[in-house]
Amino acid sequence: MGRVYRAPRYTGPVPDEPAISRDQVERVARLARLDLGPDELDDTTARLAALLGYVDRLARLDLEGVEPLSNPLDATNRVDEDKPRDPLPTERLMTMAPQAHPPFVKVPKVLGDGGGA
Amino acid sequence: MDVTDLTLIELRDAIARRDCAAAEAARACLDRIEAVDPGLHAFLQVFRDEALARAESIDARLSAEGAGAVGPLAGVPIAIKDNLCLDYGRTTCGSRILENYESPYTATCVQRLLDAGAVIVGKTNLDEFAMGSSTEHSAFGPTRNPWDRQRAPGGSSGGSAAAVAARLTPGALGSDTGGSIRQPAAHCGVVGLKPTYGRVSRWGLVAFASSFDQVGPFGRTVADAALLCEALCGPDPLDSTSAEVEPPALLATLERPIDGLRLGIPAQARSGGVDPDVSAAFAAACSVYESLGATLVLIDLPNLEYGIAAYYIIAPAEASTNLARYDGIRYGRRARLEPGEDLETLYRRSRGEGFGAEVKRRIMLGTYALSAGYYDAYYKKAQQARRVIKGDFDRALDEEGLHAVFLPTAPGPAFKLGAKTADPLAMYLEDFFTVAANLAGLPAVSFPIGLAQADGSALPVGGQLVARAFDEMTLLRAARMHEAATDWHTQKPPA
């Protein structure tokens, strides 16, 4: 495998009144269950502000009464027959778990004071 | 005969005639990968032993049963993008979080190639989780463009496009969410096809943005892409979004020109913001079509310029939900915890360490667009814009009686590595001409229409046709008309 490529710090334009603050970015990171370091928070704030500034052009469209489109074919999902199929082999799936006591996957304590795995 | 110089169909026919053993074809590709790929990094994994063993078994079957019994791709070496599951090797998605992930099953589309007799030689590099337009966002390092190694091959299926352009394999699979097959095909001078949304099963394609993702082929000719497409298409009970439409018979009519071909040319295709060499190549391609008797109709797609804004809200929103599954519990990378740290910390740290910068940004953007208070302002508005953009295409195709819309694939030729990573908006605008087909779910193909010159390098330019849903046949026949009249598809990158 080649070297790891690191993207440089954001250097593009930032709108005068950013649509998103560092505090908001921190909150969104919590919602997304994503650890971001202090530098990453700064960089993400700058980049998201620039992108949201660009996306604001959608406000120029008259979308009154337009039905949102969630599937390009406007198709509804097919319903499958309620019939069991052969499952993937449990032994194989267990080998994928980072920590396991087959047939269980090991996780840190969920209730109480936590506790490392 | 240099096997690696043959097109996919030429090689397929040579193998069927027993002029070339499948094992010989596989070895030629594997040897070329070994010789050339260290300078390109198109591949993340090469399956030398598996490919040779499979090719030998195909040879045995060809001897025993004859070519007809083995399948339309008997013995053809193929590369697949590393976001397609295969039940051996690793499926990394170009991500640290799946660095050691071994899929327990094979994607339907890959299985269909195997059922048709193909030999999988390896898995190709991509932007992490297919998020990017340059392959620079791979956690394992970028792929280089075979035409100029200081440049990116495009992305996210840059490894597959580079592999086919550099004659490492005659065909490859990619996935296209906002242009990820067509844009690298254009930058590498090959043919890349995004079939209609729903044409190809996504079972076993690692999900990025589910209302856009579509698997499709790369080839060096339109016919090669058509042959692979025929093998890929068709409904799949394992993917409820796969359309109940029979696979198209594309090759049977491919050589038949379309009488009275009518192509729509959007005003934006000739406006500023497009590189002059791309404009010139596009104008020349338009003249080729006119000389073939086609009528070019100037059309208005008034909302095309909102495509990037709509796409870069909806796709990250879908990505943020699809990527919620990577939590370090059942599979994938798990972060280390100190005593006393809890499950929540495990999720946050595993994801924070496992995802690269661009993936994190898209998860953040998507989570924000879906969060309370912003949903209507961003997500809903983007979905409404999506309908309006789709309406533009439907209207233009119907009211003007068009067979397809013709436009450049990318605004410029391949750019230098690092040129656009500091400004994500510049990178996103690479998709200006490609996202519309994904927003509208329409089939689209990119094919070589010329060469641009930059810093002493000749760089391929791609043209793109977009047709009606499920009309890949018209799409590819129109592309083939241009190809048959020109020789851009025979241009080779420097050795």
Side-chain angles (χ1 to χ4, degrees), chain B residues 399-440:
Chain B
E399 285 177 7
E400 301 289 349
L402 304 175
H403 291 91
V405 173
F406 186 45
L407 61 181
T409 309
F415 49 89
K416 290 200 165 153
L417 291 166
K420 298 195 178 190
T421 41
D423 181 356
L425 196 51
M427 187 76 90
Y428 294 175
L429 287 169
E430 267 294 299
D431 304 336
F432 185 88
F433 291 117
T434 49
V435 286
N438 303 82
L439 287 161

mmCIF file of all heavy atoms in Angstrom, chain B residues 399-440:
data_model
loop_
_atom_site.group_PDB
_atom_site.id
_atom_site.type_symbol
_atom_site.label_atom_id
_atom_site.label_comp_id
_atom_site.label_asym_id
_atom_site.label_seq_id
_atom_site.Cartn_x
_atom_site.Cartn_y
_atom_site.Cartn_z
ATOM 1 N N GLU B 399 -40.101 17.162 -25.209
ATOM 2 C CA GLU B 399 -40.632 18.252 -26.042
ATOM 3 C C GLU B 399 -39.823 18.440 -27.314
ATOM 4 O O GLU B 399 -40.378 18.804 -28.354
ATOM 5 C CB GLU B 399 -40.679 19.557 -25.236
ATOM 6 C CG GLU B 399 -41.830 19.564 -24.240
ATOM 7 C CD GLU B 399 -41.865 20.813 -23.383
ATOM 8 O OE1 GLU B 399 -41.064 21.747 -23.640
ATOM 9 O OE2 GLU B 399 -42.686 20.856 -22.453
ATOM 10 N N GLU B 400 -38.527 18.198 -27.228
ATOM 11 C CA GLU B 400 -37.690 18.371 -28.421
ATOM 12 C C GLU B 400 -37.518 17.055 -29.183
ATOM 13 O O GLU B 400 -36.792 17.008 -30.168
ATOM 14 C CB GLU B 400 -36.306 18.929 -28.029
ATOM 15 C CG GLU B 400 -36.347 20.279 -27.316
ATOM 16 C CD GLU B 400 -36.740 21.412 -28.257
ATOM 17 O OE1 GLU B 400 -36.772 21.190 -29.480
ATOM 18 O OE2 GLU B 400 -37.037 22.512 -27.764
ATOM 19 N N GLY B 401 -38.154 16.005 -28.697
ATOM 20 C CA GLY B 401 -38.036 14.707 -29.367
ATOM 21 C C GLY B 401 -36.595 14.244 -29.492
ATOM 22 O O GLY B 401 -36.165 13.757 -30.539
ATOM 23 N N LEU B 402 -35.828 14.403 -28.402
ATOM 24 C CA LEU B 402 -34.393 14.092 -28.450
ATOM 25 C C LEU B 402 -34.137 12.612 -28.174
ATOM 26 O O LEU B 402 -34.881 11.969 -27.438
ATOM 27 C CB LEU B 402 -33.643 14.906 -27.389
ATOM 28 C CG LEU B 402 -33.787 16.426 -27.431
ATOM 29 C CD1 LEU B 402 -33.065 17.030 -26.232
ATOM 30 C CD2 LEU B 402 -33.225 16.983 -28.739
ATOM 31 N N HIS B 403 -33.074 12.092 -28.766
ATOM 32 C CA HIS B 403 -32.596 10.765 -28.382
ATOM 33 C C HIS B 403 -31.746 10.848 -27.119
ATOM 34 O O HIS B 403 -31.747 9.928 -26.309
ATOM 35 C CB HIS B 403 -31.770 10.143 -29.514
ATOM 36 C CG HIS B 403 -32.585 9.792 -30.708
ATOM 37 N ND1 HIS B 403 -32.785 10.651 -31.765
ATOM 38 C CD2 HIS B 403 -33.286 8.659 -31.005
ATOM 39 C CE1 HIS B 403 -33.562 10.068 -32.670
ATOM 40 N NE2 HIS B 403 -33.879 8.863 -32.237
ATOM 41 N N ALA B 404 -31.004 11.942 -26.988
ATOM 42 C CA ALA B 404 -30.121 12.088 -25.830
ATOM 43 C C ALA B 404 -29.695 13.543 -25.706
ATOM 44 O O ALA B 404 -29.846 14.334 -26.644
ATOM 45 C CB ALA B 404 -28.888 11.196 -25.978
ATOM 46 N N VAL B 405 -29.170 13.875 -24.530
ATOM 47 C CA VAL B 405 -28.547 15.180 -24.296
ATOM 48 C C VAL B 405 -27.043 14.960 -24.371
ATOM 49 O O VAL B 405 -26.526 13.951 -23.868
ATOM 50 C CB VAL B 405 -28.961 15.741 -22.912
ATOM 51 C CG1 VAL B 405 -28.185 17.003 -22.575
ATOM 52 C CG2 VAL B 405 -30.471 16.003 -22.882
ATOM 53 N N PHE B 406 -26.329 15.880 -25.023
ATOM 54 C CA PHE B 406 -24.877 15.754 -25.192
ATOM 55 C C PHE B 406 -24.197 16.923 -24.497
ATOM 56 O O PHE B 406 -24.579 18.077 -24.712
ATOM 57 C CB PHE B 406 -24.540 15.740 -26.692
ATOM 58 C CG PHE B 406 -23.084 15.469 -26.997
ATOM 59 C CD1 PHE B 406 -22.382 14.464 -26.345
ATOM 60 C CD2 PHE B 406 -22.421 16.212 -27.968
ATOM 61 C CE1 PHE B 406 -21.044 14.208 -26.638
ATOM 62 C CE2 PHE B 406 -21.090 15.971 -28.274
ATOM 63 C CZ PHE B 406 -20.393 14.959 -27.601
ATOM 64 N N LEU B 407 -23.231 16.612 -23.669
ATOM 65 C CA LEU B 407 -22.502 17.659 -22.952
ATOM 66 C C LEU B 407 -21.116 17.158 -22.565
ATOM 67 O O LEU B 407 -20.855 15.962 -22.660
ATOM 68 C CB LEU B 407 -23.296 18.171 -21.737
ATOM 69 C CG LEU B 407 -23.709 17.287 -20.568
ATOM 70 C CD1 LEU B 407 -24.504 18.115 -19.555
ATOM 71 C CD2 LEU B 407 -24.547 16.119 -20.957
ATOM 72 N N PRO B 408 -20.200 18.055 -22.192
ATOM 73 C CA PRO B 408 -18.886 17.563 -21.754
ATOM 74 C C PRO B 408 -19.056 16.718 -20.495
ATOM 75 O O PRO B 408 -20.033 16.877 -19.773
ATOM 76 C CB PRO B 408 -18.095 18.842 -21.445
ATOM 77 C CG PRO B 408 -18.859 19.965 -22.062
ATOM 78 C CD PRO B 408 -20.291 19.525 -22.099
ATOM 79 N N THR B 409 -18.114 15.819 -20.234
ATOM 80 C CA THR B 409 -18.190 15.026 -19.008
ATOM 81 C C THR B 409 -17.685 15.845 -17.816
ATOM 82 O O THR B 409 -18.311 15.868 -16.760
ATOM 83 C CB THR B 409 -17.348 13.742 -19.148
ATOM 84 O OG1 THR B 409 -17.723 13.087 -20.352
ATOM 85 C CG2 THR B 409 -17.578 12.822 -17.962
ATOM 86 N N ALA B 410 -16.551 16.504 -17.988
ATOM 87 C CA ALA B 410 -15.963 17.304 -16.908
ATOM 88 C C ALA B 410 -15.600 18.676 -17.476
ATOM 89 O O ALA B 410 -15.352 18.799 -18.676
ATOM 90 C CB ALA B 410 -14.726 16.609 -16.338
ATOM 91 N N PRO B 411 -15.566 19.703 -16.632
ATOM 92 C CA PRO B 411 -15.284 21.060 -17.130
ATOM 93 C C PRO B 411 -13.859 21.226 -17.641
ATOM 94 O O PRO B 411 -13.589 22.141 -18.427
ATOM 95 C CB PRO B 411 -15.514 21.961 -15.918
ATOM 96 C CG PRO B 411 -15.998 21.102 -14.809
ATOM 97 C CD PRO B 411 -15.896 19.671 -15.207
ATOM 98 N N GLY B 412 -12.942 20.371 -17.192
ATOM 99 C CA GLY B 412 -11.558 20.482 -17.646
ATOM 100 C C GLY B 412 -10.943 19.111 -17.785
ATOM 101 O O GLY B 412 -11.576 18.107 -17.433
ATOM 102 N N PRO B 413 -9.701 19.031 -18.301
ATOM 103 C CA PRO B 413 -9.014 17.737 -18.338
ATOM 104 C C PRO B 413 -8.470 17.385 -16.947
ATOM 105 O O PRO B 413 -8.688 18.120 -15.987
ATOM 106 C CB PRO B 413 -7.887 17.978 -19.333
ATOM 107 C CG PRO B 413 -7.601 19.437 -19.247
ATOM 108 C CD PRO B 413 -8.892 20.115 -18.864
ATOM 109 N N ALA B 414 -7.773 16.264 -16.852
ATOM 110 C CA ALA B 414 -7.225 15.817 -15.564
ATOM 111 C C ALA B 414 -6.403 16.928 -14.913
ATOM 112 O O ALA B 414 -5.634 17.610 -15.583
ATOM 113 C CB ALA B 414 -6.367 14.577 -15.783
ATOM 114 N N PHE B 415 -6.576 17.106 -13.611
ATOM 115 C CA PHE B 415 -5.847 18.147 -12.891
ATOM 116 C C PHE B 415 -4.717 17.533 -12.080
ATOM 117 O O PHE B 415 -4.681 16.316 -11.864
ATOM 118 C CB PHE B 415 -6.787 18.963 -11.993
ATOM 119 C CG PHE B 415 -7.694 18.120 -11.124
ATOM 120 C CD1 PHE B 415 -7.302 17.698 -9.871
ATOM 121 C CD2 PHE B 415 -8.962 17.745 -11.586
ATOM 122 C CE1 PHE B 415 -8.139 16.929 -9.071
ATOM 123 C CE2 PHE B 415 -9.808 16.964 -10.802
ATOM 124 C CZ PHE B 415 -9.395 16.555 -9.538
ATOM 125 N N LYS B 416 -3.797 18.407 -11.636
ATOM 126 C CA LYS B 416 -2.629 17.903 -10.914
ATOM 127 C C LYS B 416 -3.011 17.397 -9.529
ATOM 128 O O LYS B 416 -3.924 17.931 -8.889
ATOM 129 C CB LYS B 416 -1.567 19.007 -10.802
ATOM 130 C CG LYS B 416 -0.939 19.304 -12.154
ATOM 131 C CD LYS B 416 0.400 20.010 -12.029
ATOM 132 C CE LYS B 416 1.098 19.936 -13.373
ATOM 133 N NZ LYS B 416 2.027 21.034 -13.605
ATOM 134 N N LEU B 417 -2.300 16.387 -9.080
ATOM 135 C CA LEU B 417 -2.501 15.876 -7.723
ATOM 136 C C LEU B 417 -2.323 17.030 -6.749
ATOM 137 O O LEU B 417 -1.374 17.816 -6.865
ATOM 138 C CB LEU B 417 -1.492 14.763 -7.413
ATOM 139 C CG LEU B 417 -1.688 13.456 -8.187
ATOM 140 C CD1 LEU B 417 -0.448 12.563 -8.055
ATOM 141 C CD2 LEU B 417 -2.917 12.703 -7.688
ATOM 142 N N GLY B 418 -3.244 17.167 -5.812
ATOM 143 C CA GLY B 418 -3.149 18.221 -4.809
ATOM 144 C C GLY B 418 -3.770 19.535 -5.236
ATOM 145 O O GLY B 418 -3.959 20.427 -4.396
ATOM 146 N N ALA B 419 -4.126 19.673 -6.537
ATOM 147 C CA ALA B 419 -4.598 20.975 -7.017
ATOM 148 C C ALA B 419 -5.939 21.376 -6.414
ATOM 149 O O ALA B 419 -6.232 22.553 -6.273
ATOM 150 C CB ALA B 419 -4.696 20.964 -8.549
ATOM 151 N N LYS B 420 -6.767 20.403 -6.061
ATOM 152 C CA LYS B 420 -8.120 20.743 -5.615
ATOM 153 C C LYS B 420 -8.454 20.235 -4.216
ATOM 154 O O LYS B 420 -9.587 20.394 -3.771
ATOM 155 C CB LYS B 420 -9.144 20.201 -6.616
ATOM 156 C CG LYS B 420 -8.971 20.818 -7.998
ATOM 157 C CD LYS B 420 -10.125 20.618 -8.928
ATOM 158 C CE LYS B 420 -9.811 21.337 -10.243
ATOM 159 N NZ LYS B 420 -10.940 21.408 -11.147
ATOM 160 N N THR B 421 -7.473 19.657 -3.519
ATOM 161 C CA THR B 421 -7.808 19.083 -2.213
ATOM 162 C C THR B 421 -7.971 20.148 -1.139
ATOM 163 O O THR B 421 -8.627 19.913 -0.133
ATOM 164 C CB THR B 421 -6.748 18.068 -1.749
ATOM 165 O OG1 THR B 421 -5.466 18.588 -2.062
ATOM 166 C CG2 THR B 421 -6.930 16.733 -2.426
ATOM 167 N N ALA B 422 -7.383 21.336 -1.343
ATOM 168 C CA ALA B 422 -7.490 22.369 -0.313
ATOM 169 C C ALA B 422 -8.838 23.074 -0.370
ATOM 170 O O ALA B 422 -9.263 23.679 0.603
ATOM 171 C CB ALA B 422 -6.361 23.382 -0.464
ATOM 172 N N ASP B 423 -9.511 23.000 -1.514
ATOM 173 C CA ASP B 423 -10.790 23.694 -1.657
ATOM 174 C C ASP B 423 -11.836 22.684 -2.137
ATOM 175 O O ASP B 423 -11.910 22.368 -3.311
ATOM 176 C CB ASP B 423 -10.646 24.839 -2.676
ATOM 177 C CG ASP B 423 -11.959 25.601 -2.847
ATOM 178 O OD1 ASP B 423 -12.979 25.196 -2.231
ATOM 179 O OD2 ASP B 423 -11.959 26.601 -3.587
ATOM 180 N N PRO B 424 -12.642 22.152 -1.205
ATOM 181 C CA PRO B 424 -13.575 21.091 -1.578
ATOM 182 C C PRO B 424 -14.568 21.548 -2.637
ATOM 183 O O PRO B 424 -15.015 20.755 -3.453
ATOM 184 C CB PRO B 424 -14.288 20.744 -0.273
ATOM 185 C CG PRO B 424 -14.092 21.921 0.615
ATOM 186 C CD PRO B 424 -12.797 22.537 0.211
ATOM 187 N N LEU B 425 -14.902 22.827 -2.645
ATOM 188 C CA LEU B 425 -15.870 23.307 -3.617
ATOM 189 C C LEU B 425 -15.323 23.168 -5.036
ATOM 190 O O LEU B 425 -16.037 22.755 -5.957
ATOM 191 C CB LEU B 425 -16.223 24.764 -3.312
ATOM 192 C CG LEU B 425 -17.487 25.290 -3.978
ATOM 193 C CD1 LEU B 425 -18.667 24.366 -3.727
ATOM 194 C CD2 LEU B 425 -17.791 26.680 -3.445
ATOM 195 N N ALA B 426 -14.029 23.483 -5.203
ATOM 196 C CA ALA B 426 -13.395 23.325 -6.518
ATOM 197 C C ALA B 426 -13.474 21.861 -6.947
ATOM 198 O O ALA B 426 -13.731 21.545 -8.109
ATOM 199 C CB ALA B 426 -11.943 23.784 -6.468
ATOM 200 N N MET B 427 -13.242 20.948 -5.991
ATOM 201 C CA MET B 427 -13.331 19.513 -6.298
ATOM 202 C C MET B 427 -14.761 19.137 -6.649
ATOM 203 O O MET B 427 -14.997 18.421 -7.611
ATOM 204 C CB MET B 427 -12.853 18.709 -5.077
ATOM 205 C CG MET B 427 -12.737 17.226 -5.314
ATOM 206 S SD MET B 427 -11.272 16.784 -6.267
ATOM 207 C CE MET B 427 -10.087 16.524 -4.942
ATOM 208 N N TYR B 428 -15.727 19.635 -5.888
ATOM 209 C CA TYR B 428 -17.127 19.272 -6.127
ATOM 210 C C TYR B 428 -17.591 19.767 -7.501
ATOM 211 O O TYR B 428 -18.420 19.134 -8.147
ATOM 212 C CB TYR B 428 -18.039 19.845 -5.033
ATOM 213 C CG TYR B 428 -17.814 19.262 -3.647
ATOM 214 C CD1 TYR B 428 -18.490 19.756 -2.539
ATOM 215 C CD2 TYR B 428 -16.931 18.206 -3.444
ATOM 216 C CE1 TYR B 428 -18.288 19.229 -1.272
ATOM 217 C CE2 TYR B 428 -16.714 17.679 -2.183
ATOM 218 C CZ TYR B 428 -17.400 18.196 -1.089
ATOM 219 O OH TYR B 428 -17.200 17.679 0.167
ATOM 220 N N LEU B 429 -17.056 20.898 -7.947
ATOM 221 C CA LEU B 429 -17.488 21.445 -9.235
ATOM 222 C C LEU B 429 -17.003 20.597 -10.417
ATOM 223 O O LEU B 429 -17.479 20.760 -11.534
ATOM 224 C CB LEU B 429 -17.048 22.903 -9.374
ATOM 225 C CG LEU B 429 -17.850 23.874 -8.493
ATOM 226 C CD1 LEU B 429 -17.205 25.248 -8.453
ATOM 227 C CD2 LEU B 429 -19.302 23.986 -8.947
ATOM 228 N N GLU B 430 -16.061 19.676 -10.167
ATOM 229 C CA GLU B 430 -15.677 18.684 -11.178
ATOM 230 C C GLU B 430 -16.908 17.907 -11.654
ATOM 231 O O GLU B 430 -16.946 17.392 -12.756
ATOM 232 C CB GLU B 430 -14.686 17.677 -10.569
ATOM 233 C CG GLU B 430 -13.245 18.019 -10.766
ATOM 234 C CD GLU B 430 -12.833 17.960 -12.223
ATOM 235 O OE1 GLU B 430 -12.936 16.891 -12.826
ATOM 236 O OE2 GLU B 430 -12.403 18.999 -12.743
ATOM 237 N N ASP B 431 -17.894 17.776 -10.770
ATOM 238 C CA ASP B 431 -19.086 16.965 -11.054
ATOM 239 C C ASP B 431 -20.204 17.778 -11.698
ATOM 240 O O ASP B 431 -21.329 17.299 -11.828
ATOM 241 C CB ASP B 431 -19.620 16.327 -9.755
ATOM 242 C CG ASP B 431 -18.572 15.500 -9.030
ATOM 243 O OD1 ASP B 431 -17.632 15.038 -9.705
ATOM 244 O OD2 ASP B 431 -18.687 15.311 -7.813
ATOM 245 N N PHE B 432 -19.900 19.022 -12.104
ATOM 246 C CA PHE B 432 -20.938 19.938 -12.582
ATOM 247 C C PHE B 432 -21.811 19.301 -13.659
ATOM 248 O O PHE B 432 -23.033 19.417 -13.640
ATOM 249 C CB PHE B 432 -20.290 21.226 -13.123
ATOM 250 C CG PHE B 432 -21.295 22.273 -13.538
ATOM 251 C CD1 PHE B 432 -21.770 23.193 -12.607
ATOM 252 C CD2 PHE B 432 -21.772 22.331 -14.834
ATOM 253 C CE1 PHE B 432 -22.705 24.150 -12.975
ATOM 254 C CE2 PHE B 432 -22.710 23.295 -15.206
ATOM 255 C CZ PHE B 432 -23.173 24.203 -14.279
ATOM 256 N N PHE B 433 -21.181 18.624 -14.629
ATOM 257 C CA PHE B 433 -21.938 18.071 -15.757
ATOM 258 C C PHE B 433 -22.406 16.636 -15.520
ATOM 259 O O PHE B 433 -23.147 16.095 -16.329
ATOM 260 C CB PHE B 433 -21.087 18.104 -17.035
ATOM 261 C CG PHE B 433 -20.846 19.496 -17.551
ATOM 262 C CD1 PHE B 433 -19.556 20.014 -17.624
ATOM 263 C CD2 PHE B 433 -21.904 20.292 -17.966
ATOM 264 C CE1 PHE B 433 -19.325 21.291 -18.100
ATOM 265 C CE2 PHE B 433 -21.685 21.580 -18.452
ATOM 266 C CZ PHE B 433 -20.395 22.081 -18.514
ATOM 267 N N THR B 434 -21.924 16.002 -14.462
ATOM 268 C CA THR B 434 -22.269 14.586 -14.269
ATOM 269 C C THR B 434 -23.383 14.357 -13.256
ATOM 270 O O THR B 434 -24.144 13.402 -13.392
ATOM 271 C CB THR B 434 -21.042 13.757 -13.831
ATOM 272 O OG1 THR B 434 -20.387 14.416 -12.752
ATOM 273 C CG2 THR B 434 -20.085 13.552 -14.995
ATOM 274 N N VAL B 435 -23.502 15.215 -12.227
ATOM 275 C CA VAL B 435 -24.476 14.918 -11.155
ATOM 276 C C VAL B 435 -25.909 14.885 -11.647
ATOM 277 O O VAL B 435 -26.745 14.180 -11.072
ATOM 278 C CB VAL B 435 -24.430 15.908 -9.961
ATOM 279 C CG1 VAL B 435 -23.230 15.672 -9.102
ATOM 280 C CG2 VAL B 435 -24.563 17.329 -10.400
ATOM 281 N N ALA B 436 -26.215 15.643 -12.718
ATOM 282 C CA ALA B 436 -27.610 15.726 -13.156
ATOM 283 C C ALA B 436 -28.171 14.350 -13.485
ATOM 284 O O ALA B 436 -29.311 14.038 -13.137
ATOM 285 C CB ALA B 436 -27.724 16.660 -14.355
ATOM 286 N N ALA B 437 -27.369 13.508 -14.153
ATOM 287 C CA ALA B 437 -27.852 12.170 -14.522
ATOM 288 C C ALA B 437 -28.149 11.337 -13.267
ATOM 289 O O ALA B 437 -29.070 10.526 -13.263
ATOM 290 C CB ALA B 437 -26.833 11.448 -15.403
ATOM 291 N N ASN B 438 -27.376 11.555 -12.206
ATOM 292 C CA ASN B 438 -27.630 10.833 -10.956
ATOM 293 C C ASN B 438 -28.868 11.394 -10.252
ATOM 294 O O ASN B 438 -29.680 10.646 -9.711
ATOM 295 C CB ASN B 438 -26.434 10.916 -10.010
ATOM 296 C CG ASN B 438 -25.160 10.397 -10.647
ATOM 297 O OD1 ASN B 438 -24.501 11.129 -11.378
ATOM 298 N ND2 ASN B 438 -24.839 9.137 -10.398
ATOM 299 N N LEU B 439 -28.991 12.720 -10.256
ATOM 300 C CA LEU B 439 -30.166 13.329 -9.630
ATOM 301 C C LEU B 439 -31.434 12.838 -10.327
ATOM 302 O O LEU B 439 -32.447 12.586 -9.685
ATOM 303 C CB LEU B 439 -30.080 14.858 -9.713
ATOM 304 C CG LEU B 439 -29.045 15.514 -8.779
ATOM 305 C CD1 LEU B 439 -28.706 16.927 -9.239
ATOM 306 C CD2 LEU B 439 -29.541 15.526 -7.335
ATOM 307 N N ALA B 440 -31.368 12.689 -11.669
ATOM 308 C CA ALA B 440 -32.543 12.292 -12.441
ATOM 309 C C ALA B 440 -32.635 10.783 -12.628
ATOM 310 O O ALA B 440 -33.631 10.289 -13.144
ATOM 311 C CB ALA B 440 -32.514 12.995 -13.802
#
